[in-house]
């Protein structure tokens, strides 16, 4: 899986999360990527959500989790995994920096998160067409400035 390779490239222990460091994040992401169960995906989602983004407040780790979450859409992951990844992406991208990030002068965090998400724009459009469509639309609405394109694809979804 490409997403697991991406996880291994990141020095997670030096990244900020709530609370403390992101040492638990790589194993939680790997577990999420491998799960088949909606129940397990939901449990792992909350573990990740309670460290990467809490009540709309985003931590440094989010910037590095975004490529992994996007790659999961390209990998052969289960639908529950994709749903959890999309929900986590939405929570991150709809958020604002946590006060600790502002205090650390990490003022461009959300700009970098949006930029990284836009790198996976066509993976999200693929999901809009034939995957986790509602979540994909919500994320694309946050990151794609081309609303005409978004509306075109949303109105011309693939039908089985």
């Amino acid at each position: 899986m490409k997403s697991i390779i991406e996880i291994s490239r990141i020095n997670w222990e030096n990244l900020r999360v709530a609370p403390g460091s992101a040492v638990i994040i790589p194993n939680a992401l790997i577990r999420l990527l491998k799960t088949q169960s909606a129940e397990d995906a939901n449990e792992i989602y909350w573990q990740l959500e309670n460290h990467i983004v809490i009540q709309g407040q985003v931590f440094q780790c989010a910037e590095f989790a975004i490529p992994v979450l996007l790659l999961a859409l390209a990998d052969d992951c289960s639908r529950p995994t994709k749903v959890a990844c999309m929900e986590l992406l939405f929570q991150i991208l709809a958020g604002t920096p946590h006060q600790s990030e502002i205090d650390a002068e990490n003022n461009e965090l959300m700009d970098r998160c949006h930029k990284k998400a836009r790198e996976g724009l066509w993976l999200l459009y693929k999901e809009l067409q034939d995957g986790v469509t509602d979540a994909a639309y919500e994320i694309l609405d946050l990151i794609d400035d081309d609303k005409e394109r978004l509306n075109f694809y949303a109105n011309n979804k693939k039908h089985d």
Side-chain angles (χ1 to χ4, degrees):
M1 293 181 118
K2 294 175 281 305
S3 42
I4 293 176
I5 294 168
E6 186 66 17
I7 291 168
S8 69
R9 292 182 353 86
I10 299 164
N11 188 2
W12 296 95
E13 57 272 359
N14 291 330
L15 300 175
R16 288 181 299 278
V17 295
S21 85
V23 294
I24 66 131
I25 300 301
N27 286 334
L29 284 169
I30 290 169
R31 285 183 27 243
L32 177 62
L33 296 169
K34 291 182 175 183
T35 191
Q36 299 295 314
S37 152
E39 183 179 309
D40 289 345
N42 189 52
E43 177 187 325
I44 299 164
Y45 164 83
W46 282 108
Q47 182 182 17
L48 289 165
E49 207 250 22
N50 286 324
H51 285 82
I52 296 172
V53 56
I54 296 179
Q55 296 180 343
Q57 296 186 2
V58 179
F59 293 84
Q60 178 189 33
C61 180
E63 176 183 352
F64 298 88
I66 288 171
V68 173
L69 298 170
L70 288 168
L71 276 170
L73 302 178
D75 281 340
D76 190 24
C77 294
S78 69
R79 181 162 175 84
T81 293
K82 287 186 179 189
V83 168
C85 288
M86 297 288 278
E87 180 61 27
L88 192 52
L89 278 168
F90 176 79
Q91 292 301 322
I92 292 167
L93 297 167
T96 58
H98 185 268
Q99 185 61 47
S100 62
E101 297 302 328
I102 295 167
D103 293 346
E105 297 183 7
N106 194 5
N107 300 320
E108 305 299 318
L109 175 62
M110 297 315 300
D111 290 338
R112 288 191 311 275
C113 285
H114 280 240
K115 181 180 180 189
K116 285 195 181 225
R118 280 190 293 275
E119 291 172 4
L121 196 70
W122 291 108
L123 291 169
L124 293 164
Y125 271 105
K126 181 184 180 305
E127 287 298 315
L128 177 65
Q129 289 291 291
D130 59 4
V132 186
T133 59
D134 291 341
Y137 182 88
E138 298 284 330
I139 294 167
L140 286 162
D141 193 39
L142 290 171
I143 65 168
D144 191 359
D145 294 332
D146 189 342
K147 299 306 179 200
E148 186 177 323
R149 172 177 49 204
L150 175 58
N151 290 327
F152 176 83
Y153 278 94
N155 292 324
N156 292 285
K157 287 190 255 183
K158 182 175 161 181
H159 298 287
D160 294 326

